[in-house]
Amino acid sequence: MSNNEKVVTADDIIGIDPGFSDIKYATSLTDFNKFVTAIAEVRGHHTTTGNDIYELNGRYYYVGEKAAKQPKELILDLSRYEDLEMFLPLLIVHVFNQVGKDFKKICMGLSPSHILNIDSFRKRASHFVVNGKEYNLDVKIIPQGMGATLALFQLNNLYDSDFLLVDGGFNTIDVIFGYQGEIQTQLINGDNAFENKGVIGVANKLIELVKNKYNIALGIRDAQQCLNTRRLKHRGNVIDLEEDVADCIHRYTKELMDFLQSRYGGDMDKMDAVYIVGGLSYLVDPKIEGYAEGFIKVFDDSEYLNAIGNYLKVLSEVKN
């Protein structure tokens, strides 16, 4: 190693899970957090940064919670992969600011459905300029879901030898096979990644239910909020959605398991368990009829497992 090279230690690394709904990040097994995946243009001719205002390519943006509070017409649509990649530098720097320090090495997950974008995703995250500051980062990309599996191994929450792990985010679900307690990396590919099967499936059911039952039109973000709070604020009224959300979750879980059965029925017959991780884990009914008790498993802090596992992946590559 040359004298100009700086040693990367555990203090220099972070795991990030850049989702379409939330950005999750972890700096240890127990230190993790998130913020909403939201970016909004700053109104007027703003020329200074700070207070969650960031400059990228001569334009100014709010990031995170303040962005989500802006008028709808100023909030950017980040529902497509291409948009998430374009604004990745802003999201990374906001992570650094939330933690209170910069990092040298990061690990992120990318769905196998976007496997052809790995190089451009890594390049976008590795070198950029935000707020006039140049960043050169060492970026590692691993398949989405692998981080969650690594975290479950570390936390001793993988009790079963043969399992199917379903990592569900806002849009996609990614399926990982485990045999005899080991990840089958050769089966991690685009054939086992599915779009429009994640949280969006539950949200769409709630949108339809609320429209039919209450004659209120919800947007997809509004529906997400209702799924989290189990209530709906509308024109001064608060509507209790506890039973409505439970109904949507039950129906969605049945559809999800039917879909998995249609794709992997022969495999599932011999599996010990199906693990549901990611933000979707909170929106699944593990006691749905037709499956043995404990066959479908969900976890506390499930939405952070990928970020934690991504951190563990780079931790294994550095020396303290």
Side-chain angles (χ1 to χ4, degrees), residues 257-286:
M257 295 306 294
D258 286 348
F259 173 76
L260 294 174
Q261 182 69 29
S262 71
R263 298 282 307 198
Y264 308 110
D267 299 286
M268 290 170 61
D269 289 344
K270 299 179 181 180
M271 294 290 185
D272 298 308
V274 172
Y275 294 101
I276 311 291
V277 301
L280 184 62
S281 181
Y282 308 130
L283 300 172
V284 165
D285 179 4

Side-chain angles (χ1 to χ4, degrees), residues 225-254:
Q225 182 68 18
C226 292
L227 289 173
N228 291 334
T229 63
R230 303 298 203 265
R231 62 179 186 167
L232 169 62
K233 291 183 179 180
H234 183 71
R235 297 182 179 179
N237 296 315
V238 178
I239 302 173
D240 184 356
L241 296 178
E242 193 72 43
E243 292 184 1
D244 297 321
V245 170
D247 173 65
C248 291
I249 287 175
H250 185 83
R251 289 188 288 121
Y252 167 80
T253 304
K254 187 177 186 309

Side-chain angles (χ1 to χ4, degrees), residues 96-313:
F96 290 179
N97 287 345
Q98 294 295 104
V99 178
K101 59 175 287 187
D102 291 349
F103 294 86
K104 299 175 184 176
K105 189 177 182 71
I106 65 178
C107 179
M108 295 188 290
L110 188 64
S111 171
S113 62
H114 300 301
I115 192 170
L116 297 179
N117 304 106
I118 287 179
D119 289 339
S120 62
F121 193 77
R122 183 187 296 110
K123 182 178 180 181
R124 186 60 172 155
S126 298
H127 178 74
F128 53 83
V129 178
V130 170
N131 294 350
K133 179 177 178 178
E134 184 176 2
Y135 292 82
N136 289 287
L137 307 175
D138 183 0
V139 178
K140 187 176 188 66
I141 307 295
I142 64 175
Q144 188 77 351
M146 181 177 286
T149 311
L150 295 173
L152 290 174
F153 275 128
Q154 183 69 31
L155 295 167
N156 295 317
N157 280 333
L158 281 180
Y159 312 110
D160 307 288
S161 296
D162 300 327
F163 60 86
L164 199 70
L165 183 139
V166 180
D167 177 23
F170 173 71
N171 186 20
T172 61
I173 61 171
D174 300 300
V175 178
I176 289 180
F177 290 81
Y179 294 135
Q180 297 180 333
E182 294 184 358
I183 301 172
Q184 303 303 296
T185 55
Q186 74 277 10
L187 296 177
I188 300 177
N189 53 55
D191 292 337
N192 296 312
F194 308 95
E195 296 191 350
N196 298 315
K197 293 292 184 182
V199 173
I200 192 171
V202 195
N204 282 332
K205 288 189 181 304
L206 185 63
I207 289 172
E208 181 180 10
L209 184 152
V210 169
K211 178 63 176 176
N212 293 335
K213 186 174 181 178
Y214 304 105
N215 196 29
I216 297 174
L218 295 180
I220 194 70
R221 295 292 181 183
D222 299 323
Q224 278 187 273
Q225 182 68 18
C226 292
L227 289 173
N228 291 334
T229 63
R230 303 298 203 265
R231 62 179 186 167
L232 169 62
K233 291 183 179 180
H234 183 71
R235 297 182 179 179
N237 296 315
V238 178
I239 302 173
D240 184 356
L241 296 178
E242 193 72 43
E243 292 184 1
D244 297 321
V245 170
D247 173 65
C248 291
I249 287 175
H250 185 83
R251 289 188 288 121
Y252 167 80
T253 304
K254 187 177 186 309
E255 289 184 7
L256 174 65
M257 295 306 294
D258 286 348
F259 173 76
L260 294 174
Q261 182 69 29
S262 71
R263 298 282 307 198
Y264 308 110
D267 299 286
M268 290 170 61
D269 289 344
K270 299 179 181 180
M271 294 290 185
D272 298 308
V274 172
Y275 294 101
I276 311 291
V277 301
L280 184 62
S281 181
Y282 308 130
L283 300 172
V284 165
D285 179 4
K287 297 182 180 180
I288 191 170
E289 62 274 8
Y291 297 91
E293 184 176 353
F295 182 72
I296 303 172
K297 289 183 169 66
V298 296
F299 304 91
D300 294 334
D301 296 324
S302 184
E303 64 184 317
Y304 298 105
L305 290 175
N306 273 306
I308 294 170
N310 295 346
Y311 164 79
L312 292 171
K313 183 65 176 176

